[in-house]
Amino acid sequence: MPHLNRRRLLGASVAMGLIGKAASAADRAAQDLASPDRADDAKALAPRVRRLFDFDWRFHLGHAADENRDFGFGRDQKTFAKQGQGVALPAAADFDDSGWTQVDLPHDWAVGLPFARNDFFTLPSNPEDGDPTAGHGYKAIGRRFPENSIGWYRKVFTLEPGDDRRRLSLEFEGVFRDAYIILNNYILTRHESGYTSFSVDITDFVNADGPNVLLVRADASLGEGWFYEGAGIYRHVWLVKTDPVHVPQWGVWARGEVSGSVRLDIETRNDADADAQIIVTSRLFDAAGHIAAEVASPVSLAAHSQATVTQAAQIAKPHLWSLDDPHLYTVRTELSRDGQLIDAVVTRFGLRDMRFDAQKGFFLNGQWLKIRGTNNHQDHAGVGVALTDTLHRWRVSQLKAMGANAWRCSHNPPAPALLDACDELGVLVIDETRMMTSTPEGLDQLAALIRRDRNHPSIMLWSIGNEETAQQGTERGLKIAQDMRRVVKTLDPTRPVTAAMNHHAGYGITPALDVMGFNYHEQDIEPFRKLYPDMPIIGTETASAVSTRGEYVRDDVKGYVRAYDLDAPSYAKTAEAWWSFYNARPYLSGGLVWTGFDYRGEPTPFNRWPEISSHFGILDTCGFPKDIYWYYKSWWQDEPVLHVLPHWNWAGKEGQTIPVWVYTNLDSVELFVNGKSLGRKPCAKDSHIAWDAVYQPGEIVAYGYRGDKVVQKARRQTAGAAARLSLSCDHDVLRADGQDVALIRVEALDGKDIPAPTASDLIRFAVNGPGDIVGVGNGDPTSLEADKASERRLFNGLAQVIIRTRKDQAGELRLAASMKGQRFSLHLRCI
């Protein structure tokens, strides 16, 4: 093992010190740049530069049906006739973009659009008969709204001295959708997928000594899903500078065994005109920054060629990645020539063993584990699909705290930050491609997903499709699935393949799968096991139970369902029914609830205006827990839980019977209503406790017992009118990096500081200091209020405001919230 000198330790600290916290995009760039050998010398960083390119963009809407209003793009059918000229007016260096909106990425322009009776996925049906086109959340975008469906992004930048001798590229993590990348009047590429990451080489097209004009034209006229998908550059963009001899994008693959054996496959590329003799050195560091192994290999690269180097390393005392201890290793791969460092990349990975067993279920590092997860779209109140890294991590942490241990990326490749959060927090992942097809485009998308994501230890399954009803049960579907499987196994033979099937399990594409994914239809599980007794099973989608936060009486007029666990579509089950079924059968690996969070679109069971979001979530669109959250928390983790519902504000129902439920994992619970006991009841495994209580204002109190000892108490009190606001955030110190966000909970309290559970007051917000309001929400699935606003009504006592920091602006930040003429404030600090 090499000597641990001061420089290596310092460099390891830079490269590794951010693993245990929420690393921003800028932090991840710093990890890539840090040199373990020379970290104490800022001038000796590796030649590679990976610069976050999210700031100082300009945005403007084009027009999908009018070339003149689309800045001349395609106006005279000569768009591709001559290169480097006449592509679009904004490509000119002297174009005046002062009338365009200044934006930072990630950015979703669709979330700021008005609502309309029909969205962009299908043409409208008769709105009086119910609207089946609600799937995308009724935003005025798509072919029916050509004036809102084209987005132009413009950024002017200059290069640094010496950049003309480097290879330069732009990496896009996600653009929705059909993106043209235009630099200095050259159309460099067209990328149709709204979900796959891609890279564009810009070396030959830059102006070394003058301004460079970058344009991105995104066309969201067509959709790829049946859910809200947003529009625009909604994930990070990076400017990457390398030596002509370098490691290409996603060029390092680290495969580790629990024994500590690590295989490294490293792609190297020589874009120079001369041959190159290089040394490839890989140094492995543990999470504390201590060097764990080192290996070096000589490589000969002919001019304009590429070669893959395979290295073997051994970690002496392997520290495994697990859900409770998600230990991450880092490999720093360096290319050197004639003793000079010319490139370096940093890759994280973990050591773990995952195994699915058809009779016994799922095992992680040899230990049996029941998978308890959720499906989720990339969508949040206020910001749409434009989630920052902090918000991705926050959402994962909310479900982890509930006891969830798995996340299915529904139904598309996720943001890299989402996978980073799952790696760091210890959450398993089903990573899913968007298109189930063996066309060149479909296979390219699948390959990009696997090459990008295969180093993440959290990923347990590759999913090649979801509910492909036209092909999942057919011979043609099997041919397609087998071609997709070959791509998966070529690029990653270490993980199993699944697909989420809602019909025909055991037929059609089944032979192409390693693990059968069941979407609902539990009655088909036993017949499937007779056909395929040796194929493991996972519930890729379960439950689909519906509830509205804070509502306890179904209201078909308002479009609200009960928060009691009573309602689910005909194909699905309630939370208690599905979990009891899966948990009682050890051979079932586990299941993933549809869904963790509410999301825009698919407003089952009403599916009509003005239902703009789903009711499926365990948490609402803001991430406020519904009552069902505590059912799952009771049975998915070991800490004591005692939660009582509903609220106790039932004016006009005095003397009437109100169902009272308790979610708990304690032995028994005694319920008191205004001091009178309604009896003590035991709690059966995976169940709940219920009483019928006669309403009178006052309080309901639940006492939870372990044996004969009271260990927990929960209370609901009758509240008066909202009198003040409580403003809170889970952290009061923010990074002044332009990427960090504060999610601020706004809660109404009465004059005695009792939560006001039915309050709907209008709240107005204002920010002073280095931050901006980027979105507001309240979790109301029928609210037509704007997400991009400085005000929001409470929904059942709660609202949320999201504040984003400004780049390189530190200082005190104050949020003021006004209600009924009173002002309330929260102080934060940006550093």
Side-chain angles (χ1 to χ4, degrees):
M1 180 175 293
H3 176 63
L4 288 178
N5 61 36
R6 173 176 175 269
R7 289 186 173 185
R8 279 193 175 145
L9 286 172
L10 282 170
S13 298
V14 175
M16 302 298 300
L18 298 163
I19 286 177
K21 65 178 182 178
S24 69
D27 290 334
R28 287 193 277 131
Q31 291 177 26
D32 284 347
L33 292 175
S35 168
D37 281 332
R38 304 178 180 86
D40 54 343
D41 182 359
K43 295 182 180 180
L45 293 176
R48 175 179 290 256
V49 173
R50 192 166 188 257
R51 174 182 160 197
L52 188 64
F53 226 44
D54 283 0
F55 303 104
D56 302 320
W57 290 78
R58 295 279 180 167
F59 172 78
H60 203 285
L61 286 174
H63 198 294
D66 187 341
E67 293 88 350
N68 291 317
R69 294 169 61 186
D70 198 28
F71 304 105
F73 186 79
R75 177 167 48 193
D76 56 6
Q77 293 187 316
K78 296 181 181 179
T79 305
F80 300 97
K82 298 292 183 180
Q83 301 303 302
Q85 65 184 44
V87 174
L89 296 175
D94 59 355
F95 178 81
D96 182 7
D97 64 7
S98 61
W100 292 28
T101 303
Q102 183 172 341
V103 299
D104 293 331
L105 309 180
H107 177 252
D108 174 7
W109 87 71
V111 74
L113 294 175
F115 295 98
R117 285 294 294 256
N118 294 280
D119 70 9
F120 66 85
F121 189 60
T122 4
L123 294 177
S125 63
N126 182 355
E128 300 303 319
D129 294 335
D131 191 351
T133 66
H136 287 69
Y138 288 111
K139 283 297 183 177
I141 192 171
R143 286 189 168 180
R144 293 186 64 248
F145 302 96
E147 70 279 11
N148 295 333
S149 301
I150 302 292
W152 284 89
Y153 293 84
R154 188 174 192 265
K155 182 178 176 65
V156 179
F157 65 98
T158 57
L159 297 175
E160 298 173 340
D163 282 350
D164 57 332
R165 298 188 297 275
R166 298 183 177 190
R167 299 303 299 183
L168 307 176
S169 62
L170 293 170
E171 295 180 358
F172 293 84
E173 292 187 359
V175 182
F176 196 87
R177 67 174 300 276
D178 193 5
Y180 281 92
I181 311 301
I182 304 167
L183 180 65
N184 297 329
N185 247 319
Y186 285 87
I187 297 178
L188 303 188
T189 193
R190 181 183 184 183
H191 188 82
E192 293 191 37
S193 169
Y195 296 105
T196 55
S197 301
F198 63 101
S199 178
V200 183
D201 191 316
I202 64 173
T203 306
D204 294 345
F205 306 96
V206 295
N207 296 322
D209 300 324
N212 291 275
V213 179
L214 173 62
L215 293 178
V216 178
R217 180 186 184 270
D219 184 348
S221 298
L222 301 178
E224 297 185 43
W226 49 97
F227 41 86
Y228 177 79
E229 298 182 278
I233 311 178
Y234 69 103
R235 293 178 182 166
H236 295 305
V237 178
W238 303 86
L239 172 63
V240 180
K241 308 176 184 181
T242 69
D243 188 87
V245 180
H246 61 279
V247 176
Q249 185 185 33
W250 311 327
V252 177
W253 183 21
R255 280 183 274 180
E257 306 288 342
V258 295
S259 64
S261 173
V262 179
R263 170 175 167 165
L264 301 169
D265 293 319
I266 302 163
E267 297 173 17
T268 59
R269 178 181 294 165
N270 180 7
D271 287 326
D273 293 331
D275 297 349
Q277 304 296 319
I278 63 172
I279 301 295
V280 179
T281 303
S282 296
R283 296 190 180 96
L284 283 64
F285 298 87
D286 64 17
H290 302 130
I291 194 163
E294 181 172 340
V295 61
S297 307
V299 178
S300 297
L301 277 174
H304 300 288
S305 70
Q306 185 166 314
T308 297
V309 180
T310 298
Q311 297 179 328
Q314 181 66 43
I315 297 173
K317 297 180 179 179
H319 191 157
L320 303 189
W321 184 93
S322 67
L323 304 187
D324 296 325
D325 183 15
H327 185 273
L328 293 169
Y329 286 92
T330 292
V331 56
R332 178 180 168 88
T333 303
E334 298 180 348
L335 308 187
S336 58
R337 180 176 52 206
D338 299 328
Q340 181 72 31
L341 183 67
I342 58 174
D343 194 25
V345 294
V346 171
T347 307
R348 297 198 305 180
F349 68 99
L351 305 177
R352 84 288 184 274
D353 175 70
M354 296 181 182
R355 177 169 61 89
F356 288 86
D357 187 281
Q359 280 71 48
K360 299 179 180 179
F362 177 75
F363 292 81
L364 177 62
N365 300 330
Q367 299 295 313
W368 180 86
L369 177 71
K370 199 75 168 184
I371 294 170
R372 310 178 302 264
T374 64
N375 290 260
N376 293 285
H377 290 302
Q378 180 171 323
D379 183 14
H380 194 89
V383 297
V385 298
L387 277 65
T388 64
D389 295 7
T390 304
L391 186 46
H392 279 296
R393 185 183 178 93
W394 183 87
R395 286 161 60 91
V396 175
S397 68
Q398 300 311 295
L399 292 169
K400 174 85 173 183
M402 182 186 74
N405 60 22
W407 180 295
R408 178 173 171 226
C409 304
S410 306
H411 298 287
N412 48 260
L418 185 279
L419 297 178
D420 288 341
C422 291
D423 287 346
E424 294 163 6
L425 296 172
V427 174
L428 301 167
V429 174
I430 300 178
D431 205 349
E432 187 163 280
T433 193
R434 173 74 291 277
M435 296 174 63
M436 185 179 173
T437 179
S438 55
T439 63
E441 172 66 18
L443 296 181
D444 285 349
Q445 290 187 22
L446 178 61
L449 167 73
I450 296 170
R451 280 176 45 79
R452 188 195 68 172
D453 295 347
R454 59 188 173 181
N455 285 306
H456 290 278
S458 57
I459 296 175
M460 60 176 170
L461 286 166
W462 300 115
S463 174
I464 61 172
N466 175 74
E467 296 185 357
E468 292 283 342
T469 54
Q471 58 181 343
Q472 63 186 3
T474 68
E475 291 185 10
R476 177 186 293 124
L478 177 58
K479 292 177 182 178
I480 291 169
Q482 287 173 331
D483 279 352
M484 297 180 76
R485 176 187 176 86
R486 277 190 284 272
V487 170
V488 174
K489 294 301 182 179
T490 297
L491 295 172
D492 180 15
T494 70
R495 291 181 177 90
V497 174
T498 191
M501 297 181 67
N502 60 338
H503 294 292
H504 307 297
Y507 303 93
I509 68 173
T510 302
L513 308 180
D514 300 309
V515 176
M516 171 54 63
F518 265 89
N519 280 13
Y520 320 108
H521 301 288
E522 288 83 359
Q523 73 277 4
D524 295 335
I525 290 178
E526 290 307 319
F528 168 80
R529 294 185 72 220
K530 292 179 180 179
L531 292 172
Y532 284 86
D534 296 324
M535 183 176 286
I537 297 171
I538 187 170
T540 39
E541 287 182 28
T542 62
S544 271
V546 291
S547 62
T548 307
R549 179 182 56 78
E551 297 290 330
Y552 300 97
V553 176
R554 180 173 173 132
D555 190 326
D556 287 13
V557 175
K558 291 184 178 179
Y560 298 144
V561 287
R562 299 168 290 185
Y564 299 105
D565 185 27
L566 294 170
D567 298 300
S570 59
Y571 58 83
K573 291 181 180 292
T574 64
E576 189 170 314
W578 90 262
W579 175 243
S580 298
F581 179 92
Y582 269 77
N583 200 32
R585 292 161 173 80
Y587 56 83
L588 296 179
S589 301
L592 297 96
V593 176
W594 188 267
T595 53
F597 291 84
D598 279 343
Y599 56 94
R600 292 169 177 82
E602 289 197 298
T604 303
F606 304 107
N607 198 34
R608 56 171 166 75
W609 180 267
E611 295 283 317
I612 61 165
S613 70
S614 77
H615 298 259
F616 292 120
I618 300 170
L619 303 96
D620 67 17
T621 53
C622 294
F624 296 137
K626 303 178 186 180
D627 291 286
I628 199 64
Y629 176 96
W630 281 276
Y631 170 78
Y632 287 111
K633 188 165 186 175
S634 295
W635 303 114
W636 283 11
Q637 53 88 58
D638 297 328
E639 294 180 2
V641 174
L642 183 64
H643 176 78
V644 61
L645 64 142
H647 60 67
W648 209 236
N649 274 53
W650 297 99
K653 292 194 174 185
E654 291 79 4
Q656 297 183 32
T657 298
I658 303 295
V660 177
W661 287 24
V662 165
Y663 292 131
T664 187
N665 51 12
L666 301 176
D667 296 335
S668 60
V669 176
E670 185 172 10
L671 182 71
F672 288 81
V673 179
N674 294 327
K676 180 180 178 181
S677 175
L678 270 63
R680 179 174 164 185
K681 295 185 178 183
C683 187
K685 178 179 172 60
D686 297 331
S687 185
H688 71 280
I689 312 173
W691 295 262
D692 286 332
V694 176
Y695 176 69
Q696 291 295 337
E699 66 175 10
I700 52 176
V701 183
Y703 292 88
Y705 288 80
R706 287 282 194 211
D708 290 326
K709 181 180 180 181
V710 174
V711 295
Q712 208 163 352
K713 176 181 175 181
R715 168 185 291 166
R716 290 291 187 109
Q717 297 173 280
T718 304
R724 74 176 194 88
L725 296 175
S726 169
L727 307 178
S728 60
C729 182
D730 61 359
H731 60 293
D732 58 6
V733 178
L734 307 174
R735 296 186 306 271
D737 59 3
Q739 293 283 330
D740 204 1
V741 295
L743 284 82
I744 297 169
R745 174 188 173 100
V746 182
E747 183 173 19
L749 306 176
D750 73 1
K752 297 180 180 179
D753 286 346
I754 299 171
T758 62
S760 59
D761 300 80
L762 180 65
I763 314 299
R764 292 186 169 88
F765 303 104
V767 173
N768 289 318
D772 300 286
I773 295 174
V774 294
V776 292
N778 60 15
D780 182 353
T782 68
S783 175
L784 300 180
E785 298 172 273
D787 286 87
K788 301 297 183 181
S790 58
E791 63 182 32
R792 190 73 166 196
R793 287 196 175 275
L794 300 167
F795 177 61
N796 288 331
L798 295 174
Q800 184 178 77
V801 57
I802 303 174
I803 297 175
R804 181 170 171 173
T805 61
R806 297 174 186 164
K807 189 174 185 295
D808 300 327
Q809 294 188 34
E812 298 297 319
L813 188 154
R814 183 171 70 91
L815 171 69
S818 300
M819 179 186 71
K820 299 178 180 178
Q822 300 183 73
R823 289 174 64 88
F824 308 89
S825 62
L826 177 70
H827 292 263
L828 303 171
R829 188 159 54 95
C830 302
I831 60 173

